[in-house]
Amino acid sequence: MKIILDNRQDDKEISEDLLKKIEKVIVACLEYEDYSDDYEVSLSFVTNDEIKNLNRDFRNIDKVTDVLSFPMLSDDDFEIEYEEYSLGDIVISVDRAEQQAIEYDHSFEREICFLVCHSMFHLLGYDHIQEDEAEEMHTKEKNVLDSLGITRGQKYEQERK
């Protein structure tokens, strides 16, 4: 498992502890779907302004969102041997994640882990446009996060600098 990290924001520190939890979430999503761990994921942390621009440019939605997923896997992949297969890109607005952590009354780390988990299922081909798809995806997310002890109800604590 390889994570290519790109932190393009300065508002919030992304700790080593959080990065380890993120890696566990990614691996747990792969295992849940019976994938091996020889995949690569690009993970970017950005500001609200940047994610709004990406959302506008790639989805024609001119507003801030919490996470964007850009899957790379397709049925048309060529049979070329690589060290790792790229699943795609996850882009998280740290500003929005922090706002949602406060709104949902849980920790910033829990919110980031949820967004990574949610995005991983998008990278693995799931969506939530239809109600039954949304229910299936939500169940998968809950099962993965629960298995790691990352559950709702963890109180948001103001982190000290």
Short mmCIF file of all heavy atoms in Angstrom, two decimals, residues 3-68:
data_model
loop_
_atom_site.label_atom_id
_atom_site.label_comp_id
_atom_site.label_asym_id
_atom_site.label_seq_id
_atom_site.Cartn_x
_atom_site.Cartn_y
_atom_site.Cartn_z
N ILE A 3 0.68 5.48 -0.20
CA ILE A 3 -0.10 6.72 -0.21
C ILE A 3 0.81 7.84 -0.67
O ILE A 3 1.86 8.07 -0.07
CB ILE A 3 -0.69 7.04 1.18
CG1 ILE A 3 -1.58 5.90 1.66
CG2 ILE A 3 -1.44 8.36 1.15
CD1 ILE A 3 -2.05 6.04 3.09
N ILE A 4 0.39 8.52 -1.70
CA ILE A 4 1.12 9.69 -2.18
C ILE A 4 0.42 10.89 -1.57
O ILE A 4 -0.72 11.20 -1.90
CB ILE A 4 1.12 9.78 -3.71
CG1 ILE A 4 1.80 8.55 -4.29
CG2 ILE A 4 1.81 11.06 -4.17
CD1 ILE A 4 1.65 8.41 -5.79
N LEU A 5 1.09 11.55 -0.63
CA LEU A 5 0.49 12.64 0.15
C LEU A 5 0.88 13.99 -0.43
O LEU A 5 2.05 14.22 -0.74
CB LEU A 5 0.94 12.55 1.60
CG LEU A 5 0.38 13.59 2.55
CD1 LEU A 5 -1.13 13.41 2.71
CD2 LEU A 5 1.06 13.48 3.90
N ASP A 6 -0.12 14.86 -0.55
CA ASP A 6 0.11 16.22 -1.01
C ASP A 6 -0.71 17.15 -0.12
O ASP A 6 -1.93 17.24 -0.27
CB ASP A 6 -0.30 16.36 -2.48
CG ASP A 6 0.06 17.72 -3.07
OD1 ASP A 6 0.80 18.49 -2.42
OD2 ASP A 6 -0.41 18.01 -4.18
N ASN A 7 -0.06 17.80 0.83
CA ASN A 7 -0.74 18.72 1.75
C ASN A 7 -0.60 20.14 1.21
O ASN A 7 0.44 20.75 1.33
CB ASN A 7 -0.12 18.60 3.14
CG ASN A 7 -0.90 19.40 4.17
OD1 ASN A 7 -1.93 19.99 3.88
ND2 ASN A 7 -0.40 19.42 5.38
N ARG A 8 -1.69 20.64 0.62
CA ARG A 8 -1.67 21.96 -0.01
C ARG A 8 -2.46 22.99 0.82
O ARG A 8 -3.05 23.90 0.27
CB ARG A 8 -2.23 21.88 -1.43
CG ARG A 8 -1.43 20.93 -2.31
CD ARG A 8 -1.77 21.05 -3.77
NE ARG A 8 -3.14 20.79 -4.13
CZ ARG A 8 -3.60 19.63 -4.60
NH1 ARG A 8 -2.78 18.59 -4.72
NH2 ARG A 8 -4.86 19.49 -4.94
N GLN A 9 -2.45 22.84 2.12
CA GLN A 9 -3.11 23.79 3.01
C GLN A 9 -2.22 23.99 4.23
O GLN A 9 -1.41 23.13 4.56
CB GLN A 9 -4.51 23.29 3.39
CG GLN A 9 -4.55 21.93 4.09
CD GLN A 9 -4.25 22.01 5.58
OE1 GLN A 9 -4.74 22.91 6.27
NE2 GLN A 9 -3.46 21.08 6.10
N ASP A 10 -2.38 25.14 4.88
CA ASP A 10 -1.56 25.47 6.05
C ASP A 10 -2.40 25.68 7.30
O ASP A 10 -1.85 25.99 8.36
CB ASP A 10 -0.76 26.76 5.79
CG ASP A 10 0.25 26.59 4.68
OD1 ASP A 10 0.85 25.51 4.58
OD2 ASP A 10 0.43 27.55 3.90
N ASP A 11 -3.72 25.52 7.22
CA ASP A 11 -4.60 25.84 8.33
C ASP A 11 -4.59 24.81 9.45
O ASP A 11 -4.79 25.15 10.61
CB ASP A 11 -6.05 26.02 7.84
CG ASP A 11 -6.18 27.19 6.88
OD1 ASP A 11 -5.34 28.12 6.95
OD2 ASP A 11 -7.13 27.18 6.08
N LYS A 12 -4.36 23.55 9.11
CA LYS A 12 -4.49 22.48 10.09
C LYS A 12 -3.35 21.49 9.92
O LYS A 12 -3.05 21.06 8.82
CB LYS A 12 -5.83 21.77 9.87
CG LYS A 12 -6.20 20.77 10.88
CD LYS A 12 -6.85 21.42 12.06
CE LYS A 12 -7.40 20.35 12.99
NZ LYS A 12 -7.73 20.87 14.26
N GLU A 13 -2.72 21.14 11.03
CA GLU A 13 -1.64 20.16 10.98
C GLU A 13 -2.22 18.77 10.74
O GLU A 13 -3.23 18.38 11.32
CB GLU A 13 -0.86 20.15 12.29
CG GLU A 13 0.26 19.14 12.29
CD GLU A 13 0.97 19.04 13.63
OE1 GLU A 13 0.71 19.86 14.52
OE2 GLU A 13 1.78 18.11 13.77
N ILE A 14 -1.58 18.04 9.84
CA ILE A 14 -1.95 16.65 9.60
C ILE A 14 -0.87 15.81 10.29
O ILE A 14 0.25 15.70 9.81
CB ILE A 14 -2.00 16.34 8.08
CG1 ILE A 14 -2.92 17.32 7.35
CG2 ILE A 14 -2.41 14.89 7.86
CD1 ILE A 14 -4.36 17.34 7.81
N SER A 15 -1.23 15.24 11.43
CA SER A 15 -0.24 14.54 12.27
C SER A 15 0.12 13.17 11.70
O SER A 15 -0.62 12.59 10.91
CB SER A 15 -0.81 14.38 13.68
OG SER A 15 -1.87 13.43 13.67
N GLU A 16 1.25 12.66 12.16
CA GLU A 16 1.69 11.31 11.79
C GLU A 16 0.67 10.28 12.28
O GLU A 16 0.41 9.28 11.60
CB GLU A 16 3.07 11.02 12.37
CG GLU A 16 4.21 11.70 11.63
CD GLU A 16 4.31 11.29 10.16
OE1 GLU A 16 4.18 10.08 9.86
OE2 GLU A 16 4.51 12.17 9.32
N ASP A 17 0.11 10.52 13.46
CA ASP A 17 -0.90 9.62 14.01
C ASP A 17 -2.11 9.55 13.09
O ASP A 17 -2.63 8.46 12.82
CB ASP A 17 -1.31 10.08 15.42
CG ASP A 17 -2.26 9.12 16.09
OD1 ASP A 17 -1.96 7.90 16.11
OD2 ASP A 17 -3.31 9.57 16.58
N LEU A 18 -2.56 10.69 12.59
CA LEU A 18 -3.69 10.71 11.66
C LEU A 18 -3.34 9.99 10.37
O LEU A 18 -4.14 9.23 9.84
CB LEU A 18 -4.14 12.15 11.38
CG LEU A 18 -5.28 12.32 10.37
CD1 LEU A 18 -6.51 11.50 10.76
CD2 LEU A 18 -5.65 13.79 10.23
N LEU A 19 -2.15 10.19 9.86
CA LEU A 19 -1.73 9.52 8.63
C LEU A 19 -1.72 8.00 8.80
O LEU A 19 -2.10 7.25 7.89
CB LEU A 19 -0.36 10.03 8.17
CG LEU A 19 -0.34 11.48 7.69
CD1 LEU A 19 1.09 11.92 7.39
CD2 LEU A 19 -1.23 11.68 6.47
N LYS A 20 -1.32 7.52 9.98
CA LYS A 20 -1.34 6.08 10.25
C LYS A 20 -2.77 5.56 10.28
O LYS A 20 -3.06 4.47 9.76
CB LYS A 20 -0.64 5.79 11.58
CG LYS A 20 0.86 5.94 11.51
CD LYS A 20 1.51 5.71 12.86
CE LYS A 20 3.01 6.02 12.76
NZ LYS A 20 3.66 6.01 14.07
N LYS A 21 -3.68 6.33 10.87
CA LYS A 21 -5.10 5.93 10.89
C LYS A 21 -5.67 5.90 9.48
O LYS A 21 -6.43 5.00 9.13
CB LYS A 21 -5.91 6.87 11.78
CG LYS A 21 -5.65 6.68 13.25
CD LYS A 21 -6.46 7.63 14.10
CE LYS A 21 -6.10 7.45 15.56
NZ LYS A 21 -6.79 8.39 16.42
N ILE A 22 -5.30 6.89 8.67
CA ILE A 22 -5.76 6.94 7.28
C ILE A 22 -5.30 5.70 6.52
O ILE A 22 -6.09 5.08 5.78
CB ILE A 22 -5.27 8.23 6.59
CG1 ILE A 22 -6.02 9.44 7.14
CG2 ILE A 22 -5.40 8.14 5.07
CD1 ILE A 22 -5.42 10.78 6.73
N GLU A 23 -4.05 5.32 6.71
CA GLU A 23 -3.54 4.12 6.04
C GLU A 23 -4.33 2.88 6.49
O GLU A 23 -4.67 2.02 5.66
CB GLU A 23 -2.06 3.93 6.31
CG GLU A 23 -1.48 2.76 5.56
CD GLU A 23 0.03 2.65 5.64
OE1 GLU A 23 0.69 3.54 6.22
OE2 GLU A 23 0.56 1.65 5.10
N LYS A 24 -4.64 2.79 7.77
CA LYS A 24 -5.44 1.66 8.26
C LYS A 24 -6.82 1.64 7.62
O LYS A 24 -7.35 0.57 7.28
CB LYS A 24 -5.56 1.71 9.79
CG LYS A 24 -4.28 1.34 10.51
CD LYS A 24 -4.45 1.42 12.01
CE LYS A 24 -3.13 1.09 12.69
NZ LYS A 24 -3.21 1.18 14.15
N VAL A 25 -7.42 2.82 7.45
CA VAL A 25 -8.74 2.90 6.82
C VAL A 25 -8.66 2.43 5.36
O VAL A 25 -9.49 1.64 4.91
CB VAL A 25 -9.30 4.35 6.89
CG1 VAL A 25 -10.53 4.51 6.00
CG2 VAL A 25 -9.62 4.73 8.33
N ILE A 26 -7.65 2.88 4.66
CA ILE A 26 -7.49 2.49 3.25
C ILE A 26 -7.31 0.98 3.12
O ILE A 26 -7.97 0.32 2.32
CB ILE A 26 -6.32 3.27 2.60
CG1 ILE A 26 -6.70 4.75 2.46
CG2 ILE A 26 -5.97 2.67 1.23
CD1 ILE A 26 -5.55 5.65 2.03
N VAL A 27 -6.43 0.42 3.94
CA VAL A 27 -6.18 -1.02 3.89
C VAL A 27 -7.45 -1.79 4.29
O VAL A 27 -7.80 -2.80 3.66
CB VAL A 27 -4.98 -1.40 4.79
CG1 VAL A 27 -4.87 -2.91 4.97
CG2 VAL A 27 -3.69 -0.83 4.21
N ALA A 28 -8.17 -1.31 5.29
CA ALA A 28 -9.40 -1.98 5.73
C ALA A 28 -10.46 -1.96 4.63
O ALA A 28 -11.18 -2.96 4.45
CB ALA A 28 -9.93 -1.33 7.01
N CYS A 29 -10.55 -0.88 3.88
CA CYS A 29 -11.50 -0.80 2.75
C CYS A 29 -11.13 -1.83 1.68
O CYS A 29 -11.99 -2.53 1.15
CB CYS A 29 -11.53 0.60 2.15
SG CYS A 29 -12.31 1.85 3.18
N LEU A 30 -9.84 -1.91 1.39
CA LEU A 30 -9.37 -2.88 0.39
C LEU A 30 -9.67 -4.31 0.85
O LEU A 30 -10.19 -5.13 0.07
CB LEU A 30 -7.88 -2.70 0.13
CG LEU A 30 -7.46 -1.43 -0.60
CD1 LEU A 30 -5.95 -1.27 -0.58
CD2 LEU A 30 -7.99 -1.43 -2.03
N GLU A 31 -9.36 -4.60 2.10
CA GLU A 31 -9.61 -5.94 2.64
C GLU A 31 -11.11 -6.27 2.64
O GLU A 31 -11.51 -7.39 2.33
CB GLU A 31 -9.04 -6.07 4.05
CG GLU A 31 -7.53 -6.12 4.08
CD GLU A 31 -6.95 -6.11 5.49
OE1 GLU A 31 -7.70 -5.93 6.48
OE2 GLU A 31 -5.72 -6.27 5.60
N TYR A 32 -11.92 -5.30 2.99
CA TYR A 32 -13.37 -5.49 3.04
C TYR A 32 -13.91 -5.90 1.67
O TYR A 32 -14.86 -6.68 1.58
CB TYR A 32 -14.05 -4.20 3.53
CG TYR A 32 -15.51 -4.35 3.85
CD1 TYR A 32 -15.90 -4.82 5.10
CD2 TYR A 32 -16.48 -4.01 2.93
CE1 TYR A 32 -17.24 -4.97 5.42
CE2 TYR A 32 -17.84 -4.15 3.23
CZ TYR A 32 -18.20 -4.63 4.47
OH TYR A 32 -19.54 -4.78 4.79
N GLU A 33 -13.29 -5.39 0.63
CA GLU A 33 -13.71 -5.69 -0.74
C GLU A 33 -12.87 -6.80 -1.38
O GLU A 33 -12.94 -7.00 -2.59
CB GLU A 33 -13.64 -4.42 -1.59
CG GLU A 33 -14.68 -3.39 -1.22
CD GLU A 33 -16.10 -3.86 -1.47
OE1 GLU A 33 -16.41 -4.23 -2.62
OE2 GLU A 33 -16.91 -3.85 -0.51
N ASP A 34 -12.07 -7.48 -0.58
CA ASP A 34 -11.22 -8.59 -1.04
C ASP A 34 -10.19 -8.17 -2.08
O ASP A 34 -9.89 -8.92 -3.01
CB ASP A 34 -12.07 -9.75 -1.58
CG ASP A 34 -12.88 -10.43 -0.49
OD1 ASP A 34 -12.35 -10.55 0.64
OD2 ASP A 34 -14.03 -10.82 -0.76
N TYR A 35 -9.66 -6.98 -1.93
CA TYR A 35 -8.54 -6.51 -2.75
C TYR A 35 -7.24 -6.77 -1.99
O TYR A 35 -7.23 -6.76 -0.76
CB TYR A 35 -8.63 -4.99 -3.01
CG TYR A 35 -9.60 -4.59 -4.09
CD1 TYR A 35 -10.97 -4.58 -3.86
CD2 TYR A 35 -9.14 -4.21 -5.34
CE1 TYR A 35 -11.86 -4.19 -4.85
CE2 TYR A 35 -10.02 -3.81 -6.33
CZ TYR A 35 -11.39 -3.82 -6.08
OH TYR A 35 -12.26 -3.43 -7.06
N SER A 36 -6.17 -6.95 -2.72
CA SER A 36 -4.86 -7.02 -2.09
C SER A 36 -4.46 -5.60 -1.68
O SER A 36 -5.18 -4.65 -1.97
CB SER A 36 -3.83 -7.61 -3.06
OG SER A 36 -3.65 -6.73 -4.15
N ASP A 37 -3.31 -5.46 -1.05
CA ASP A 37 -2.88 -4.12 -0.64
C ASP A 37 -1.78 -3.57 -1.55
O ASP A 37 -1.05 -2.67 -1.17
CB ASP A 37 -2.44 -4.10 0.82
CG ASP A 37 -1.19 -4.91 1.07
OD1 ASP A 37 -0.73 -5.62 0.15
OD2 ASP A 37 -0.65 -4.82 2.19
N ASP A 38 -1.69 -4.08 -2.78
CA ASP A 38 -0.66 -3.57 -3.70
C ASP A 38 -1.21 -2.45 -4.59
O ASP A 38 -1.07 -2.47 -5.80
CB ASP A 38 -0.04 -4.71 -4.52
CG ASP A 38 -1.04 -5.47 -5.36
OD1 ASP A 38 -2.25 -5.32 -5.11
OD2 ASP A 38 -0.61 -6.22 -6.26
N TYR A 39 -1.84 -1.50 -3.92
CA TYR A 39 -2.42 -0.35 -4.61
C TYR A 39 -1.80 0.94 -4.11
O TYR A 39 -1.25 1.01 -3.02
CB TYR A 39 -3.94 -0.31 -4.40
CG TYR A 39 -4.64 -1.37 -5.20
CD1 TYR A 39 -4.88 -2.63 -4.66
CD2 TYR A 39 -5.04 -1.13 -6.51
CE1 TYR A 39 -5.50 -3.62 -5.39
CE2 TYR A 39 -5.67 -2.10 -7.25
CZ TYR A 39 -5.90 -3.34 -6.69
OH TYR A 39 -6.51 -4.32 -7.43
N GLU A 40 -1.96 1.95 -4.93
CA GLU A 40 -1.47 3.29 -4.64
C GLU A 40 -2.67 4.23 -4.64
O GLU A 40 -3.55 4.11 -5.49
CB GLU A 40 -0.48 3.67 -5.74
CG GLU A 40 -0.01 5.09 -5.71
CD GLU A 40 0.89 5.34 -6.92
OE1 GLU A 40 2.04 4.88 -6.91
OE2 GLU A 40 0.42 5.99 -7.86
N VAL A 41 -2.69 5.14 -3.67
CA VAL A 41 -3.74 6.15 -3.58
C VAL A 41 -3.07 7.50 -3.42
O VAL A 41 -2.16 7.65 -2.60
CB VAL A 41 -4.68 5.88 -2.38
CG1 VAL A 41 -5.67 7.02 -2.20
CG2 VAL A 41 -5.41 4.56 -2.54
N SER A 42 -3.52 8.46 -4.17
CA SER A 42 -3.06 9.83 -4.02
C SER A 42 -4.04 10.55 -3.09
O SER A 42 -5.24 10.51 -3.32
CB SER A 42 -3.01 10.52 -5.38
OG SER A 42 -2.77 11.90 -5.22
N LEU A 43 -3.51 11.18 -2.05
CA LEU A 43 -4.34 11.86 -1.05
C LEU A 43 -3.87 13.30 -0.92
O LEU A 43 -2.72 13.54 -0.57
CB LEU A 43 -4.25 11.14 0.29
CG LEU A 43 -4.95 11.76 1.48
CD1 LEU A 43 -6.46 11.87 1.24
CD2 LEU A 43 -4.68 10.96 2.74
N SER A 44 -4.77 14.24 -1.21
CA SER A 44 -4.44 15.67 -1.12
C SER A 44 -5.33 16.34 -0.09
O SER A 44 -6.54 16.11 -0.05
CB SER A 44 -4.64 16.35 -2.48
OG SER A 44 -3.80 15.79 -3.45
N PHE A 45 -4.70 17.16 0.73
CA PHE A 45 -5.41 18.01 1.68
C PHE A 45 -5.37 19.43 1.15
O PHE A 45 -4.28 19.95 0.87
CB PHE A 45 -4.77 17.93 3.07
CG PHE A 45 -4.90 16.59 3.70
CD1 PHE A 45 -3.80 15.74 3.80
CD2 PHE A 45 -6.12 16.14 4.20
CE1 PHE A 45 -3.90 14.50 4.38
CE2 PHE A 45 -6.24 14.89 4.78
CZ PHE A 45 -5.12 14.06 4.87
N VAL A 46 -6.55 20.04 1.00
CA VAL A 46 -6.64 21.36 0.37
C VAL A 46 -7.54 22.29 1.18
O VAL A 46 -8.16 21.88 2.16
CB VAL A 46 -7.17 21.23 -1.09
CG1 VAL A 46 -6.26 20.35 -1.94
CG2 VAL A 46 -8.60 20.72 -1.12
N THR A 47 -7.63 23.52 0.72
CA THR A 47 -8.50 24.53 1.33
C THR A 47 -9.89 24.48 0.69
O THR A 47 -10.09 23.85 -0.36
CB THR A 47 -7.93 25.94 1.11
OG1 THR A 47 -7.91 26.19 -0.30
CG2 THR A 47 -6.53 26.08 1.71
N ASN A 48 -10.83 25.18 1.29
CA ASN A 48 -12.17 25.31 0.70
C ASN A 48 -12.10 25.93 -0.69
O ASN A 48 -12.82 25.49 -1.59
CB ASN A 48 -13.07 26.16 1.59
CG ASN A 48 -13.73 25.35 2.70
OD1 ASN A 48 -13.70 24.12 2.70
ND2 ASN A 48 -14.31 26.04 3.66
N ASP A 49 -11.27 26.94 -0.85
CA ASP A 49 -11.16 27.60 -2.15
C ASP A 49 -10.71 26.63 -3.23
O ASP A 49 -11.27 26.59 -4.33
CB ASP A 49 -10.20 28.79 -2.10
CG ASP A 49 -10.75 29.97 -1.33
OD1 ASP A 49 -11.99 30.06 -1.16
OD2 ASP A 49 -9.94 30.81 -0.88
N GLU A 50 -9.69 25.83 -2.93
CA GLU A 50 -9.18 24.90 -3.93
C GLU A 50 -10.20 23.82 -4.27
O GLU A 50 -10.39 23.48 -5.44
CB GLU A 50 -7.86 24.27 -3.50
CG GLU A 50 -7.29 23.38 -4.58
CD GLU A 50 -5.90 22.85 -4.31
OE1 GLU A 50 -5.24 23.35 -3.37
OE2 GLU A 50 -5.48 21.96 -5.06
N ILE A 51 -10.87 23.27 -3.26
CA ILE A 51 -11.82 22.19 -3.56
C ILE A 51 -13.03 22.74 -4.32
O ILE A 51 -13.60 22.06 -5.18
CB ILE A 51 -12.23 21.38 -2.31
CG1 ILE A 51 -12.61 19.96 -2.75
CG2 ILE A 51 -13.34 22.05 -1.53
CD1 ILE A 51 -12.55 18.93 -1.67
N LYS A 52 -13.39 23.99 -4.03
CA LYS A 52 -14.49 24.61 -4.79
C LYS A 52 -14.11 24.73 -6.26
O LYS A 52 -14.92 24.43 -7.15
CB LYS A 52 -14.81 25.99 -4.21
CG LYS A 52 -15.93 26.70 -4.95
CD LYS A 52 -16.22 28.07 -4.37
CE LYS A 52 -17.33 28.73 -5.17
NZ LYS A 52 -17.58 30.09 -4.72
N ASN A 53 -12.88 25.14 -6.53
CA ASN A 53 -12.42 25.25 -7.92
C ASN A 53 -12.38 23.89 -8.60
O ASN A 53 -12.79 23.76 -9.77
CB ASN A 53 -11.04 25.91 -7.98
CG ASN A 53 -11.08 27.38 -7.59
OD1 ASN A 53 -12.12 28.04 -7.67
ND2 ASN A 53 -9.95 27.90 -7.15
N LEU A 54 -11.89 22.87 -7.91
CA LEU A 54 -11.87 21.53 -8.48
C LEU A 54 -13.28 21.01 -8.74
O LEU A 54 -13.54 20.40 -9.79
CB LEU A 54 -11.13 20.56 -7.54
CG LEU A 54 -9.63 20.77 -7.39
CD1 LEU A 54 -9.09 19.94 -6.23
CD2 LEU A 54 -8.92 20.42 -8.69
N ASN A 55 -14.17 21.25 -7.80
CA ASN A 55 -15.56 20.82 -7.95
C ASN A 55 -16.20 21.50 -9.16
O ASN A 55 -16.92 20.86 -9.94
CB ASN A 55 -16.33 21.15 -6.67
CG ASN A 55 -17.54 20.28 -6.46
OD1 ASN A 55 -17.69 19.21 -7.06
ND2 ASN A 55 -18.42 20.71 -5.58
N ARG A 56 -15.91 22.77 -9.34
CA ARG A 56 -16.43 23.53 -10.49
C ARG A 56 -15.82 23.00 -11.79
O ARG A 56 -16.53 22.74 -12.76
CB ARG A 56 -16.11 25.02 -10.33
CG ARG A 56 -16.62 25.88 -11.49
CD ARG A 56 -15.99 27.26 -11.50
NE ARG A 56 -14.55 27.10 -11.72
CZ ARG A 56 -13.61 27.75 -11.02
NH1 ARG A 56 -13.94 28.59 -10.08
NH2 ARG A 56 -12.34 27.54 -11.27
N ASP A 57 -14.51 22.81 -11.81
CA ASP A 57 -13.82 22.43 -13.04
C ASP A 57 -14.14 21.00 -13.47
O ASP A 57 -14.23 20.73 -14.67
CB ASP A 57 -12.30 22.58 -12.87
CG ASP A 57 -11.88 24.04 -12.70
OD1 ASP A 57 -12.71 24.95 -12.92
OD2 ASP A 57 -10.71 24.25 -12.32
N PHE A 58 -14.28 20.07 -12.52
CA PHE A 58 -14.45 18.67 -12.88
C PHE A 58 -15.89 18.17 -12.79
O PHE A 58 -16.23 17.17 -13.42
CB PHE A 58 -13.55 17.78 -12.01
CG PHE A 58 -12.10 17.92 -12.36
CD1 PHE A 58 -11.28 18.78 -11.64
CD2 PHE A 58 -11.56 17.22 -13.43
CE1 PHE A 58 -9.93 18.92 -11.98
CE2 PHE A 58 -10.23 17.35 -13.78
CZ PHE A 58 -9.41 18.22 -13.05
N ARG A 59 -16.74 18.86 -12.01
CA ARG A 59 -18.12 18.38 -11.83
C ARG A 59 -19.15 19.43 -12.21
O ARG A 59 -20.35 19.17 -12.10
CB ARG A 59 -18.33 17.95 -10.38
CG ARG A 59 -17.41 16.77 -9.99
CD ARG A 59 -17.64 16.30 -8.57
NE ARG A 59 -18.98 15.82 -8.37
CZ ARG A 59 -19.73 16.14 -7.31
NH1 ARG A 59 -19.27 16.91 -6.35
NH2 ARG A 59 -20.96 15.67 -7.21
N ASN A 60 -18.69 20.61 -12.61
CA ASN A 60 -19.59 21.71 -12.96
C ASN A 60 -20.52 22.09 -11.80
O ASN A 60 -21.66 22.48 -12.02
CB ASN A 60 -20.41 21.39 -14.22
CG ASN A 60 -19.53 21.28 -15.44
OD1 ASN A 60 -18.64 22.09 -15.64
ND2 ASN A 60 -19.79 20.26 -16.25
N ILE A 61 -20.01 21.95 -10.58
CA ILE A 61 -20.74 22.35 -9.38
C ILE A 61 -19.90 23.40 -8.69
O ILE A 61 -18.84 23.09 -8.13
CB ILE A 61 -21.02 21.15 -8.45
CG1 ILE A 61 -21.83 20.09 -9.18
CG2 ILE A 61 -21.72 21.62 -7.17
CD1 ILE A 61 -22.02 18.79 -8.40
N ASP A 62 -20.36 24.64 -8.70
CA ASP A 62 -19.56 25.76 -8.21
C ASP A 62 -19.83 26.00 -6.72
O ASP A 62 -20.40 27.02 -6.33
CB ASP A 62 -19.86 27.01 -9.04
CG ASP A 62 -18.86 28.12 -8.79
OD1 ASP A 62 -17.76 27.85 -8.28
OD2 ASP A 62 -19.18 29.29 -9.11
N LYS A 63 -19.44 25.02 -5.90
CA LYS A 63 -19.57 25.18 -4.45
C LYS A 63 -18.54 24.30 -3.74
O LYS A 63 -18.01 23.36 -4.31
CB LYS A 63 -20.98 24.88 -3.96
CG LYS A 63 -21.40 23.45 -4.07
CD LYS A 63 -22.80 23.27 -3.49
CE LYS A 63 -23.10 21.79 -3.34
NZ LYS A 63 -24.36 21.53 -2.68
N VAL A 64 -18.33 24.61 -2.48
CA VAL A 64 -17.41 23.86 -1.65
C VAL A 64 -18.02 22.49 -1.35
O VAL A 64 -19.23 22.37 -1.14
CB VAL A 64 -17.13 24.61 -0.32
CG1 VAL A 64 -16.32 23.76 0.65
CG2 VAL A 64 -16.42 25.92 -0.60
N THR A 65 -17.18 21.48 -1.35
CA THR A 65 -17.58 20.15 -0.93
C THR A 65 -16.52 19.63 0.04
O THR A 65 -15.45 20.23 0.16
CB THR A 65 -17.77 19.21 -2.14
OG1 THR A 65 -18.38 17.99 -1.70
CG2 THR A 65 -16.46 18.91 -2.84
N ASP A 66 -16.81 18.53 0.71
CA ASP A 66 -15.86 18.02 1.69
C ASP A 66 -14.78 17.14 1.07
O ASP A 66 -13.63 17.22 1.45
CB ASP A 66 -16.57 17.28 2.82
CG ASP A 66 -17.57 16.24 2.34
OD1 ASP A 66 -17.65 15.98 1.11
OD2 ASP A 66 -18.29 15.67 3.19
N VAL A 67 -15.16 16.32 0.09
CA VAL A 67 -14.21 15.39 -0.51
C VAL A 67 -14.56 15.15 -1.97
O VAL A 67 -15.74 15.15 -2.33
CB VAL A 67 -14.17 14.06 0.29
CG1 VAL A 67 -15.50 13.32 0.21
CG2 VAL A 67 -13.03 13.17 -0.16
N LEU A 68 -13.54 14.97 -2.78
CA LEU A 68 -13.71 14.59 -4.17
C LEU A 68 -12.91 13.32 -4.41
O LEU A 68 -11.82 13.14 -3.86
CB LEU A 68 -13.21 15.69 -5.11
CG LEU A 68 -14.02 16.97 -5.15
CD1 LEU A 68 -13.29 18.05 -5.95
CD2 LEU A 68 -15.41 16.72 -5.74
#
